[in-house]
Short mmCIF file of all heavy atoms in Angstrom, two decimals:
data_model
loop_
_atom_site.label_atom_id
_atom_site.label_comp_id
_atom_site.label_asym_id
_atom_site.label_seq_id
_atom_site.Cartn_x
_atom_site.Cartn_y
_atom_site.Cartn_z
N MET A 1 -2.22 11.15 -13.89
CA MET A 1 -3.61 11.42 -13.54
C MET A 1 -3.74 11.49 -12.02
O MET A 1 -3.36 10.57 -11.33
CB MET A 1 -4.50 10.31 -14.10
CG MET A 1 -5.91 10.35 -13.57
SD MET A 1 -6.92 9.00 -14.15
CE MET A 1 -7.66 9.76 -15.55
N PRO A 2 -4.24 12.58 -11.49
CA PRO A 2 -4.43 12.73 -10.05
C PRO A 2 -5.45 11.73 -9.50
O PRO A 2 -6.23 11.14 -10.24
CB PRO A 2 -4.92 14.16 -9.90
CG PRO A 2 -4.53 14.85 -11.15
CD PRO A 2 -4.54 13.80 -12.21
N MET A 3 -5.44 11.58 -8.18
CA MET A 3 -6.35 10.65 -7.52
C MET A 3 -7.27 11.42 -6.58
O MET A 3 -6.80 12.05 -5.63
CB MET A 3 -5.54 9.61 -6.75
CG MET A 3 -6.39 8.49 -6.19
SD MET A 3 -5.41 7.23 -5.33
CE MET A 3 -4.51 6.51 -6.69
N PRO A 4 -8.58 11.37 -6.82
CA PRO A 4 -9.52 12.08 -5.95
C PRO A 4 -9.66 11.41 -4.58
O PRO A 4 -9.36 10.23 -4.40
CB PRO A 4 -10.84 12.04 -6.72
CG PRO A 4 -10.71 10.87 -7.64
CD PRO A 4 -9.25 10.73 -7.94
N ALA A 5 -10.15 12.18 -3.62
CA ALA A 5 -10.29 11.72 -2.24
C ALA A 5 -11.10 10.43 -2.14
O ALA A 5 -10.75 9.53 -1.37
CB ALA A 5 -10.93 12.82 -1.40
N GLN A 6 -12.18 10.32 -2.91
CA GLN A 6 -13.04 9.14 -2.82
C GLN A 6 -12.28 7.88 -3.21
O GLN A 6 -12.49 6.81 -2.62
CB GLN A 6 -14.28 9.28 -3.73
CG GLN A 6 -15.14 10.46 -3.43
CD GLN A 6 -14.71 11.71 -4.20
OE1 GLN A 6 -13.54 11.95 -4.48
NE2 GLN A 6 -15.68 12.54 -4.54
N GLU A 7 -11.39 7.98 -4.17
CA GLU A 7 -10.60 6.82 -4.60
C GLU A 7 -9.57 6.44 -3.55
O GLU A 7 -9.35 5.27 -3.28
CB GLU A 7 -9.92 7.12 -5.94
CG GLU A 7 -9.07 5.99 -6.46
CD GLU A 7 -9.85 4.75 -6.90
OE1 GLU A 7 -11.09 4.74 -6.82
OE2 GLU A 7 -9.20 3.78 -7.31
N ILE A 8 -8.95 7.43 -2.93
CA ILE A 8 -7.99 7.16 -1.86
C ILE A 8 -8.68 6.44 -0.71
O ILE A 8 -8.20 5.42 -0.22
CB ILE A 8 -7.34 8.47 -1.37
CG1 ILE A 8 -6.51 9.09 -2.49
CG2 ILE A 8 -6.49 8.23 -0.13
CD1 ILE A 8 -6.06 10.50 -2.22
N GLU A 9 -9.83 6.95 -0.31
CA GLU A 9 -10.58 6.32 0.78
C GLU A 9 -11.00 4.91 0.41
O GLU A 9 -10.89 3.99 1.22
CB GLU A 9 -11.80 7.17 1.15
CG GLU A 9 -12.53 6.63 2.35
CD GLU A 9 -13.62 7.56 2.86
OE1 GLU A 9 -13.80 8.66 2.31
OE2 GLU A 9 -14.28 7.18 3.83
N ARG A 10 -11.45 4.70 -0.81
CA ARG A 10 -11.87 3.36 -1.25
C ARG A 10 -10.71 2.38 -1.19
O ARG A 10 -10.86 1.25 -0.70
CB ARG A 10 -12.42 3.43 -2.68
CG ARG A 10 -12.98 2.08 -3.16
CD ARG A 10 -13.20 2.06 -4.66
NE ARG A 10 -11.97 2.14 -5.43
CZ ARG A 10 -11.10 1.14 -5.58
NH1 ARG A 10 -11.31 -0.03 -4.99
NH2 ARG A 10 -10.02 1.30 -6.30
N ILE A 11 -9.54 2.80 -1.64
CA ILE A 11 -8.37 1.92 -1.63
C ILE A 11 -7.97 1.55 -0.21
O ILE A 11 -7.71 0.37 0.09
CB ILE A 11 -7.20 2.60 -2.38
CG1 ILE A 11 -7.50 2.65 -3.88
CG2 ILE A 11 -5.88 1.88 -2.12
CD1 ILE A 11 -6.56 3.51 -4.69
N ILE A 12 -7.95 2.53 0.68
CA ILE A 12 -7.58 2.25 2.07
C ILE A 12 -8.60 1.33 2.72
O ILE A 12 -8.25 0.36 3.39
CB ILE A 12 -7.42 3.56 2.88
CG1 ILE A 12 -6.22 4.35 2.34
CG2 ILE A 12 -7.26 3.27 4.37
CD1 ILE A 12 -6.08 5.76 2.90
N LYS A 13 -9.90 1.59 2.50
CA LYS A 13 -10.94 0.77 3.12
C LYS A 13 -11.01 -0.64 2.52
O LYS A 13 -11.47 -1.56 3.18
CB LYS A 13 -12.29 1.47 3.03
CG LYS A 13 -12.37 2.63 3.99
CD LYS A 13 -13.77 3.23 4.01
CE LYS A 13 -13.87 4.20 5.13
NZ LYS A 13 -14.95 3.92 6.03
N THR A 14 -10.55 -0.81 1.31
CA THR A 14 -10.47 -2.16 0.74
C THR A 14 -9.43 -2.98 1.49
O THR A 14 -9.64 -4.15 1.79
CB THR A 14 -10.13 -2.09 -0.77
OG1 THR A 14 -11.20 -1.43 -1.44
CG2 THR A 14 -9.95 -3.47 -1.36
N ALA A 15 -8.31 -2.35 1.83
CA ALA A 15 -7.24 -3.03 2.56
C ALA A 15 -7.54 -3.14 4.05
O ALA A 15 -7.19 -4.13 4.69
CB ALA A 15 -5.92 -2.30 2.35
N LEU A 16 -8.20 -2.12 4.60
CA LEU A 16 -8.50 -2.05 6.03
C LEU A 16 -9.98 -1.70 6.19
O LEU A 16 -10.34 -0.54 6.38
CB LEU A 16 -7.63 -0.98 6.70
CG LEU A 16 -6.12 -1.18 6.57
CD1 LEU A 16 -5.37 0.12 6.88
CD2 LEU A 16 -5.65 -2.29 7.48
N PRO A 17 -10.85 -2.69 6.10
CA PRO A 17 -12.31 -2.43 6.05
C PRO A 17 -12.86 -1.62 7.23
O PRO A 17 -13.84 -0.91 7.06
CB PRO A 17 -12.92 -3.82 6.00
CG PRO A 17 -11.84 -4.69 5.43
CD PRO A 17 -10.55 -4.11 5.92
N ASP A 18 -12.24 -1.72 8.40
CA ASP A 18 -12.76 -0.99 9.56
C ASP A 18 -12.20 0.42 9.66
O ASP A 18 -12.53 1.15 10.59
CB ASP A 18 -12.44 -1.76 10.85
CG ASP A 18 -10.98 -1.64 11.25
OD1 ASP A 18 -10.11 -1.71 10.35
OD2 ASP A 18 -10.70 -1.47 12.45
N ALA A 19 -11.36 0.83 8.72
CA ALA A 19 -10.65 2.10 8.82
C ALA A 19 -11.60 3.30 8.78
O ALA A 19 -12.57 3.32 8.04
CB ALA A 19 -9.63 2.22 7.69
N VAL A 20 -11.26 4.27 9.59
CA VAL A 20 -11.86 5.59 9.51
C VAL A 20 -10.79 6.46 8.86
O VAL A 20 -9.66 6.53 9.36
CB VAL A 20 -12.23 6.13 10.91
CG1 VAL A 20 -12.74 7.56 10.81
CG2 VAL A 20 -13.26 5.23 11.57
N VAL A 21 -11.14 7.06 7.74
CA VAL A 21 -10.16 7.82 6.94
C VAL A 21 -10.58 9.28 6.88
O VAL A 21 -11.71 9.59 6.51
CB VAL A 21 -10.07 7.24 5.51
CG1 VAL A 21 -9.05 8.01 4.69
CG2 VAL A 21 -9.76 5.74 5.53
N GLU A 22 -9.68 10.16 7.28
CA GLU A 22 -9.90 11.60 7.19
C GLU A 22 -8.85 12.15 6.24
O GLU A 22 -7.65 11.99 6.49
CB GLU A 22 -9.77 12.25 8.56
CG GLU A 22 -10.77 11.74 9.58
CD GLU A 22 -10.48 12.25 10.98
OE1 GLU A 22 -9.97 13.40 11.11
OE2 GLU A 22 -10.74 11.51 11.93
N LEU A 23 -9.29 12.78 5.17
CA LEU A 23 -8.37 13.30 4.15
C LEU A 23 -8.39 14.82 4.13
O LEU A 23 -9.45 15.43 4.26
CB LEU A 23 -8.76 12.77 2.78
CG LEU A 23 -8.50 11.29 2.57
CD1 LEU A 23 -9.23 10.78 1.34
CD2 LEU A 23 -7.01 11.03 2.44
N THR A 24 -7.22 15.39 3.93
CA THR A 24 -7.07 16.82 3.78
C THR A 24 -6.22 17.09 2.54
O THR A 24 -5.13 16.51 2.41
CB THR A 24 -6.35 17.43 5.01
OG1 THR A 24 -7.09 17.09 6.18
CG2 THR A 24 -6.23 18.93 4.89
N ALA A 25 -6.72 17.91 1.65
CA ALA A 25 -5.94 18.28 0.46
C ALA A 25 -4.83 19.23 0.88
O ALA A 25 -5.07 20.23 1.56
CB ALA A 25 -6.84 18.94 -0.57
N LEU A 26 -3.60 18.91 0.48
CA LEU A 26 -2.47 19.78 0.78
C LEU A 26 -2.25 20.80 -0.32
O LEU A 26 -1.53 21.78 -0.14
CB LEU A 26 -1.20 18.94 0.98
CG LEU A 26 -1.26 17.96 2.15
CD1 LEU A 26 0.01 17.12 2.20
CD2 LEU A 26 -1.48 18.69 3.46
N ALA A 27 -2.84 20.54 -1.48
CA ALA A 27 -2.83 21.46 -2.61
C ALA A 27 -4.12 21.22 -3.37
O ALA A 27 -4.77 20.20 -3.20
CB ALA A 27 -1.62 21.20 -3.51
N ASP A 28 -4.50 22.13 -4.20
CA ASP A 28 -5.76 22.00 -4.94
C ASP A 28 -5.52 21.29 -6.27
O ASP A 28 -5.86 21.79 -7.33
CB ASP A 28 -6.37 23.38 -5.16
CG ASP A 28 -7.81 23.32 -5.65
OD1 ASP A 28 -8.48 22.30 -5.40
OD2 ASP A 28 -8.26 24.30 -6.27
N ASP A 29 -4.91 20.08 -6.18
CA ASP A 29 -4.55 19.37 -7.41
C ASP A 29 -4.88 17.88 -7.39
O ASP A 29 -4.53 17.15 -8.32
CB ASP A 29 -3.06 19.56 -7.70
CG ASP A 29 -2.16 19.01 -6.60
OD1 ASP A 29 -2.68 18.43 -5.62
OD2 ASP A 29 -0.93 19.16 -6.72
N ASN A 30 -5.55 17.38 -6.34
CA ASN A 30 -5.85 15.95 -6.19
C ASN A 30 -4.60 15.09 -6.28
O ASN A 30 -4.65 13.92 -6.65
CB ASN A 30 -6.87 15.48 -7.23
CG ASN A 30 -8.29 15.78 -6.84
OD1 ASN A 30 -8.57 16.07 -5.67
ND2 ASN A 30 -9.19 15.74 -7.78
N ASP A 31 -3.45 15.66 -5.94
CA ASP A 31 -2.19 14.95 -6.08
C ASP A 31 -1.38 14.96 -4.79
O ASP A 31 -0.44 14.20 -4.66
CB ASP A 31 -1.38 15.62 -7.20
CG ASP A 31 -0.58 14.65 -8.01
OD1 ASP A 31 -0.85 13.44 -7.95
OD2 ASP A 31 0.34 15.10 -8.72
N HIS A 32 -1.74 15.82 -3.85
CA HIS A 32 -1.02 15.96 -2.59
C HIS A 32 -2.03 15.91 -1.46
O HIS A 32 -2.86 16.83 -1.34
CB HIS A 32 -0.24 17.28 -2.54
CG HIS A 32 0.81 17.39 -3.58
ND1 HIS A 32 0.56 17.74 -4.88
CD2 HIS A 32 2.15 17.19 -3.50
CE1 HIS A 32 1.69 17.76 -5.56
NE2 HIS A 32 2.66 17.41 -4.75
N TRP A 33 -1.96 14.86 -0.65
CA TRP A 33 -2.96 14.63 0.39
C TRP A 33 -2.30 14.33 1.73
O TRP A 33 -1.21 13.78 1.79
CB TRP A 33 -3.84 13.43 0.02
CG TRP A 33 -4.70 13.65 -1.16
CD1 TRP A 33 -4.44 13.31 -2.46
CD2 TRP A 33 -5.97 14.27 -1.18
NE1 TRP A 33 -5.48 13.68 -3.27
CE2 TRP A 33 -6.44 14.27 -2.51
CE3 TRP A 33 -6.79 14.83 -0.20
CZ2 TRP A 33 -7.66 14.80 -2.87
CZ3 TRP A 33 -8.01 15.35 -0.57
CH2 TRP A 33 -8.44 15.34 -1.89
N ALA A 34 -3.02 14.63 2.80
CA ALA A 34 -2.70 14.18 4.15
C ALA A 34 -3.86 13.30 4.59
O ALA A 34 -5.03 13.63 4.33
CB ALA A 34 -2.53 15.35 5.10
N ALA A 35 -3.55 12.17 5.20
CA ALA A 35 -4.59 11.25 5.65
C ALA A 35 -4.34 10.84 7.09
O ALA A 35 -3.20 10.53 7.47
CB ALA A 35 -4.63 10.00 4.76
N THR A 36 -5.40 10.84 7.87
CA THR A 36 -5.38 10.23 9.19
C THR A 36 -6.21 8.96 9.07
O THR A 36 -7.37 9.00 8.65
CB THR A 36 -5.99 11.16 10.25
OG1 THR A 36 -5.22 12.37 10.29
CG2 THR A 36 -5.99 10.51 11.63
N VAL A 37 -5.58 7.83 9.39
CA VAL A 37 -6.24 6.54 9.25
C VAL A 37 -6.26 5.87 10.62
O VAL A 37 -5.22 5.68 11.25
CB VAL A 37 -5.50 5.63 8.24
CG1 VAL A 37 -6.23 4.31 8.08
CG2 VAL A 37 -5.34 6.34 6.89
N THR A 38 -7.46 5.54 11.07
CA THR A 38 -7.65 4.85 12.35
C THR A 38 -8.20 3.46 12.06
O THR A 38 -9.20 3.32 11.36
CB THR A 38 -8.64 5.63 13.24
OG1 THR A 38 -8.18 6.98 13.39
CG2 THR A 38 -8.78 4.98 14.60
N SER A 39 -7.51 2.43 12.58
CA SER A 39 -7.94 1.06 12.33
C SER A 39 -7.49 0.16 13.48
O SER A 39 -6.36 0.31 13.98
CB SER A 39 -7.35 0.53 11.02
OG SER A 39 -7.62 -0.84 10.86
N ALA A 40 -8.33 -0.78 13.86
CA ALA A 40 -7.97 -1.76 14.87
C ALA A 40 -6.81 -2.64 14.39
O ALA A 40 -6.07 -3.19 15.21
CB ALA A 40 -9.17 -2.63 15.22
N ALA A 41 -6.63 -2.75 13.09
CA ALA A 41 -5.53 -3.54 12.53
C ALA A 41 -4.16 -2.99 12.95
O ALA A 41 -3.16 -3.70 12.90
CB ALA A 41 -5.63 -3.59 11.01
N PHE A 42 -4.11 -1.74 13.38
CA PHE A 42 -2.85 -1.11 13.78
C PHE A 42 -2.46 -1.43 15.22
O PHE A 42 -1.34 -1.14 15.64
CB PHE A 42 -2.92 0.41 13.62
CG PHE A 42 -3.15 0.88 12.21
CD1 PHE A 42 -3.85 2.05 11.98
CD2 PHE A 42 -2.66 0.19 11.12
CE1 PHE A 42 -4.04 2.52 10.70
CE2 PHE A 42 -2.85 0.64 9.83
CZ PHE A 42 -3.55 1.82 9.62
N SER A 43 -3.36 -2.01 15.97
CA SER A 43 -3.13 -2.28 17.38
C SER A 43 -1.87 -3.14 17.57
O SER A 43 -1.73 -4.20 16.97
CB SER A 43 -4.34 -3.00 17.96
OG SER A 43 -4.53 -2.66 19.28
N GLY A 44 -0.95 -2.65 18.38
CA GLY A 44 0.26 -3.39 18.68
C GLY A 44 1.35 -3.30 17.63
O GLY A 44 2.42 -3.87 17.80
N LEU A 45 1.09 -2.59 16.53
CA LEU A 45 2.08 -2.45 15.46
C LEU A 45 2.86 -1.15 15.61
O LEU A 45 2.32 -0.15 16.09
CB LEU A 45 1.40 -2.46 14.08
CG LEU A 45 0.63 -3.71 13.70
CD1 LEU A 45 0.01 -3.53 12.31
CD2 LEU A 45 1.53 -4.94 13.73
N SER A 46 4.10 -1.17 15.17
CA SER A 46 4.89 0.06 15.16
C SER A 46 4.30 1.03 14.16
O SER A 46 3.59 0.65 13.23
CB SER A 46 6.35 -0.24 14.80
OG SER A 46 6.44 -0.60 13.43
N ARG A 47 4.63 2.29 14.31
CA ARG A 47 4.15 3.32 13.38
C ARG A 47 4.64 3.01 11.96
O ARG A 47 3.90 3.16 11.00
CB ARG A 47 4.64 4.70 13.83
CG ARG A 47 4.20 5.81 12.97
CD ARG A 47 3.06 6.62 13.49
NE ARG A 47 3.08 6.74 14.93
CZ ARG A 47 1.99 6.89 15.65
NH1 ARG A 47 0.82 6.96 15.07
NH2 ARG A 47 2.03 6.97 16.95
N VAL A 48 5.86 2.54 11.84
CA VAL A 48 6.40 2.18 10.52
C VAL A 48 5.56 1.08 9.88
O VAL A 48 5.18 1.17 8.71
CB VAL A 48 7.88 1.75 10.62
CG1 VAL A 48 8.37 1.14 9.32
CG2 VAL A 48 8.75 2.92 11.02
N ARG A 49 5.24 0.05 10.64
CA ARG A 49 4.43 -1.06 10.10
C ARG A 49 3.03 -0.59 9.74
O ARG A 49 2.47 -1.02 8.73
CB ARG A 49 4.38 -2.21 11.11
CG ARG A 49 3.69 -3.43 10.59
CD ARG A 49 4.45 -4.06 9.41
NE ARG A 49 3.65 -5.12 8.84
CZ ARG A 49 3.31 -5.22 7.56
NH1 ARG A 49 3.74 -4.34 6.67
NH2 ARG A 49 2.55 -6.19 7.13
N GLN A 50 2.45 0.30 10.53
CA GLN A 50 1.14 0.86 10.23
C GLN A 50 1.16 1.57 8.88
O GLN A 50 0.31 1.36 8.04
CB GLN A 50 0.69 1.83 11.33
CG GLN A 50 0.42 1.18 12.66
CD GLN A 50 0.16 2.18 13.75
OE1 GLN A 50 -0.17 3.35 13.50
NE2 GLN A 50 0.30 1.76 15.00
N HIS A 51 2.18 2.39 8.68
CA HIS A 51 2.31 3.13 7.42
C HIS A 51 2.54 2.18 6.26
O HIS A 51 2.00 2.38 5.17
CB HIS A 51 3.44 4.15 7.51
CG HIS A 51 3.09 5.34 8.35
ND1 HIS A 51 3.59 6.59 8.11
CD2 HIS A 51 2.28 5.47 9.44
CE1 HIS A 51 3.11 7.44 9.01
NE2 HIS A 51 2.32 6.78 9.82
N GLN A 52 3.31 1.12 6.48
CA GLN A 52 3.55 0.14 5.43
C GLN A 52 2.25 -0.52 4.99
O GLN A 52 2.05 -0.77 3.80
CB GLN A 52 4.54 -0.92 5.90
CG GLN A 52 5.96 -0.42 6.00
CD GLN A 52 6.90 -1.43 6.64
OE1 GLN A 52 6.49 -2.30 7.41
NE2 GLN A 52 8.19 -1.29 6.33
N LEU A 53 1.36 -0.81 5.93
CA LEU A 53 0.07 -1.42 5.58
C LEU A 53 -0.75 -0.50 4.68
O LEU A 53 -1.36 -0.96 3.71
CB LEU A 53 -0.73 -1.76 6.84
CG LEU A 53 -0.25 -2.94 7.67
CD1 LEU A 53 -1.09 -3.06 8.94
CD2 LEU A 53 -0.33 -4.23 6.87
N VAL A 54 -0.77 0.77 5.01
CA VAL A 54 -1.53 1.73 4.19
C VAL A 54 -0.87 1.89 2.83
O VAL A 54 -1.53 1.80 1.79
CB VAL A 54 -1.67 3.10 4.89
CG1 VAL A 54 -2.36 4.10 3.98
CG2 VAL A 54 -2.44 2.95 6.21
N ASN A 55 0.43 2.10 2.82
CA ASN A 55 1.15 2.29 1.55
C ASN A 55 1.02 1.08 0.64
O ASN A 55 0.88 1.23 -0.58
CB ASN A 55 2.62 2.61 1.81
CG ASN A 55 2.82 3.99 2.38
OD1 ASN A 55 1.98 4.87 2.25
ND2 ASN A 55 3.94 4.20 3.04
N ALA A 56 1.04 -0.11 1.20
CA ALA A 56 0.93 -1.35 0.40
C ALA A 56 -0.40 -1.41 -0.33
O ALA A 56 -0.48 -1.99 -1.42
CB ALA A 56 1.11 -2.57 1.29
N ALA A 57 -1.43 -0.82 0.23
CA ALA A 57 -2.75 -0.83 -0.41
C ALA A 57 -2.71 -0.13 -1.77
O ALA A 57 -3.49 -0.47 -2.66
CB ALA A 57 -3.78 -0.16 0.49
N PHE A 58 -1.80 0.81 -1.94
CA PHE A 58 -1.72 1.58 -3.19
C PHE A 58 -0.81 0.93 -4.23
O PHE A 58 -0.86 1.30 -5.41
CB PHE A 58 -1.24 3.01 -2.91
CG PHE A 58 -2.26 3.82 -2.17
CD1 PHE A 58 -2.25 3.89 -0.80
CD2 PHE A 58 -3.25 4.49 -2.86
CE1 PHE A 58 -3.20 4.62 -0.10
CE2 PHE A 58 -4.21 5.23 -2.19
CZ PHE A 58 -4.18 5.29 -0.80
N GLY A 59 0.01 -0.01 -3.80
CA GLY A 59 0.93 -0.65 -4.74
C GLY A 59 1.79 0.38 -5.44
O GLY A 59 2.25 1.35 -4.83
N ASP A 60 1.96 0.22 -6.74
CA ASP A 60 2.82 1.15 -7.49
C ASP A 60 2.11 2.44 -7.89
O ASP A 60 2.69 3.28 -8.56
CB ASP A 60 3.42 0.46 -8.71
CG ASP A 60 2.38 -0.07 -9.69
OD1 ASP A 60 1.16 0.10 -9.44
OD2 ASP A 60 2.79 -0.66 -10.70
N ARG A 61 0.87 2.62 -7.44
CA ARG A 61 0.15 3.87 -7.72
C ARG A 61 0.68 5.01 -6.84
O ARG A 61 0.57 6.18 -7.21
CB ARG A 61 -1.34 3.69 -7.48
CG ARG A 61 -1.95 2.67 -8.45
CD ARG A 61 -3.36 2.32 -8.07
NE ARG A 61 -4.27 3.36 -8.53
CZ ARG A 61 -5.57 3.33 -8.32
NH1 ARG A 61 -6.13 2.33 -7.66
NH2 ARG A 61 -6.33 4.30 -8.77
N LEU A 62 1.27 4.66 -5.68
CA LEU A 62 1.83 5.66 -4.78
C LEU A 62 3.15 6.14 -5.36
O LEU A 62 4.03 5.36 -5.68
CB LEU A 62 2.03 5.07 -3.39
CG LEU A 62 2.39 6.03 -2.27
CD1 LEU A 62 1.32 7.10 -2.11
CD2 LEU A 62 2.57 5.29 -0.97
N GLY A 63 3.28 7.45 -5.49
CA GLY A 63 4.46 8.03 -6.10
C GLY A 63 4.28 8.27 -7.59
O GLY A 63 5.09 8.92 -8.23
N GLY A 64 3.20 7.73 -8.14
CA GLY A 64 2.88 7.94 -9.55
C GLY A 64 1.55 8.65 -9.66
O GLY A 64 1.48 9.87 -9.64
N GLU A 65 0.50 7.85 -9.73
CA GLU A 65 -0.85 8.42 -9.82
C GLU A 65 -1.18 9.27 -8.58
O GLU A 65 -1.82 10.30 -8.68
CB GLU A 65 -1.87 7.28 -9.96
CG GLU A 65 -3.27 7.74 -10.22
CD GLU A 65 -4.23 6.59 -10.46
OE1 GLU A 65 -3.77 5.47 -10.75
OE2 GLU A 65 -5.44 6.83 -10.37
N LEU A 66 -0.75 8.80 -7.42
CA LEU A 66 -0.88 9.58 -6.19
C LEU A 66 0.51 10.03 -5.81
O LEU A 66 1.34 9.25 -5.35
CB LEU A 66 -1.49 8.73 -5.07
CG LEU A 66 -1.63 9.39 -3.71
CD1 LEU A 66 -2.49 10.65 -3.79
CD2 LEU A 66 -2.20 8.42 -2.70
N HIS A 67 0.79 11.31 -6.05
CA HIS A 67 2.16 11.81 -5.90
C HIS A 67 2.61 11.83 -4.44
O HIS A 67 3.73 11.43 -4.14
CB HIS A 67 2.27 13.20 -6.51
CG HIS A 67 3.62 13.80 -6.37
ND1 HIS A 67 4.70 13.34 -7.09
CD2 HIS A 67 4.09 14.79 -5.57
CE1 HIS A 67 5.77 14.03 -6.74
NE2 HIS A 67 5.43 14.91 -5.84
N ALA A 68 1.76 12.31 -3.53
CA ALA A 68 2.18 12.47 -2.15
C ALA A 68 1.03 12.17 -1.20
O ALA A 68 -0.08 12.67 -1.38
CB ALA A 68 2.69 13.89 -1.91
N LEU A 69 1.32 11.36 -0.18
CA LEU A 69 0.34 11.04 0.85
C LEU A 69 1.04 11.09 2.20
O LEU A 69 1.83 10.20 2.53
CB LEU A 69 -0.27 9.66 0.62
CG LEU A 69 -1.34 9.22 1.62
CD1 LEU A 69 -2.55 10.15 1.56
CD2 LEU A 69 -1.75 7.77 1.36
N ALA A 70 0.78 12.15 2.96
CA ALA A 70 1.32 12.27 4.31
C ALA A 70 0.40 11.51 5.25
O ALA A 70 -0.81 11.76 5.26
CB ALA A 70 1.40 13.74 4.71
N LEU A 71 0.94 10.57 6.01
CA LEU A 71 0.11 9.70 6.83
C LEU A 71 0.26 9.96 8.32
O LEU A 71 1.36 10.22 8.82
CB LEU A 71 0.49 8.24 6.60
CG LEU A 71 0.02 7.58 5.33
CD1 LEU A 71 0.61 6.18 5.23
CD2 LEU A 71 -1.49 7.53 5.27
N LYS A 72 -0.87 9.86 9.00
CA LYS A 72 -0.92 9.75 10.45
C LYS A 72 -1.80 8.52 10.68
O LYS A 72 -2.92 8.45 10.17
CB LYS A 72 -1.54 10.98 11.10
CG LYS A 72 -1.66 10.82 12.60
CD LYS A 72 -2.32 12.02 13.24
CE LYS A 72 -2.51 11.74 14.73
NZ LYS A 72 -3.38 12.75 15.34
N THR A 73 -1.27 7.55 11.41
CA THR A 73 -2.04 6.32 11.66
C THR A 73 -2.18 6.13 13.15
O THR A 73 -1.32 6.55 13.94
CB THR A 73 -1.34 5.10 11.04
OG1 THR A 73 0.00 5.03 11.51
CG2 THR A 73 -1.36 5.16 9.50
N GLN A 74 -3.28 5.45 13.54
CA GLN A 74 -3.52 5.20 14.95
C GLN A 74 -4.53 4.08 15.10
O GLN A 74 -5.35 3.83 14.24
CB GLN A 74 -4.02 6.47 15.65
CG GLN A 74 -5.30 7.02 15.03
CD GLN A 74 -5.61 8.43 15.49
OE1 GLN A 74 -4.76 9.12 16.03
NE2 GLN A 74 -6.84 8.88 15.27
N ALA A 75 -4.44 3.40 16.25
CA ALA A 75 -5.45 2.41 16.62
C ALA A 75 -6.54 3.14 17.40
O ALA A 75 -6.26 4.18 18.01
CB ALA A 75 -4.82 1.32 17.47
N PRO A 76 -7.77 2.62 17.33
CA PRO A 76 -8.85 3.30 18.07
C PRO A 76 -8.65 3.22 19.58
O PRO A 76 -7.95 2.43 20.08
CB PRO A 76 -10.10 2.52 17.66
CG PRO A 76 -9.66 1.33 16.93
CD PRO A 76 -8.21 1.49 16.62
#
């Protein structure tokens, strides 16, 4: 089952309440997304750690229900 943009944003904001999330569909299937996530929680963290924080919010849904999520993360 694909994951709509609103659900992706809700999941990220649950883990990172201050996050600003910008989503772009990479295909018209609700299964391939690109996300830019801006959060103060990323301050001082490596890019790898920033991505790990976002990916952890999805648990085992990433790679299954949400097939692909290309991430760009940044601190404000």
Side-chain angles (χ1 to χ4, degrees):
M1 169 183 266
M3 188 178 292
Q6 301 89 327
E7 179 68 1
I8 295 168
E9 185 171 358
R10 184 194 67 75
I11 290 169
I12 294 171
K13 287 186 170 235
T14 296
L16 301 163
D18 75 319
V20 175
V21 181
E22 299 171 33
L23 290 165
T24 304
L26 298 177
D28 192 23
D29 61 3
N30 278 343
D31 216 17
H32 297 81
W33 293 95
T36 300
V37 182
T38 305
S39 173
F42 298 149
S43 212
L45 298 179
S46 70
R47 181 102 34 210
V48 169
R49 186 65 188 126
Q50 293 173 19
H51 287 211
Q52 288 172 336
L53 287 175
V54 175
N55 289 338
F58 291 93
D60 59 1
R61 296 170 80 181
L62 190 59
E65 187 176 343
L66 177 59
H67 179 72
L69 181 63
L71 284 175
K72 177 182 176 192
T73 54
Q74 59 193 16

